[in-house]
Amino acid sequence: MLPANRPVTLRFATPDVIHGILVTGTNVNTMIVPGYVSQVHTVFTRTGDLLMLATNIAGSATARCSATVRVVPPGDFKPDSQGGVSCDAR
C-alpha cells in the first residue's frame, strides 16, 4: 500500500537471477540484479490497484509473475514508525 500524490522510493532486491518489473500506467520500470538494490523514485498520481508485471524472462514461470500495487489517499496510508512500509508487512 502506497500513498497517492507523495514522493515514494521503491527498493527491490533478488537473490537468484535478473528480474525485470513494470507497474502499468506509471514510470516504474526497472531491472533487479542479484547482489544489488534497485531503487525507483516516483509519485503515483491516482488511487487504485495497479498491476505490476514481470518483464524479463527469468524462467518458465515468468509469464505468470504479477503483483498488485495498491495506491491509497494520503490520509489512508499508515507507515511504520520510521515512515516506511514493506510488502512483507501485510
Side-chain angles (χ1 to χ4, degrees):
M1 187 178 341
L2 297 169
N5 301 312
R6 287 192 185 164
V8 296
T9 300
L10 305 173
R11 293 183 183 96
F12 303 94
T14 181
D16 51 9
V17 297
I18 296 173
H19 296 271
I21 61 106
L22 70 82
V23 178
T24 58
T26 73
N27 67 335
V28 177
N29 184 352
T30 192
M31 300 300 288
I32 308 163
V33 179
Y36 297 90
V37 175
S38 296
Q39 190 165 273
V40 177
H41 304 282
T42 194
V43 174
F44 294 103
T45 58
R46 65 179 193 270
T47 60
D49 290 343
L50 304 175
L51 185 60
M52 183 168 63
L53 297 169
T55 60
N56 188 53
I57 304 301
S60 61
T62 299
R64 296 187 308 270
C65 291
S66 67
T68 300
V69 176
R70 180 159 291 157
V71 182
V72 298
D76 292 348
F77 179 66
K78 305 295 182 210
D80 63 23
S81 61
Q82 297 177 354
V85 65
S86 170
C87 61
D88 292 335
R90 298 180 203 193

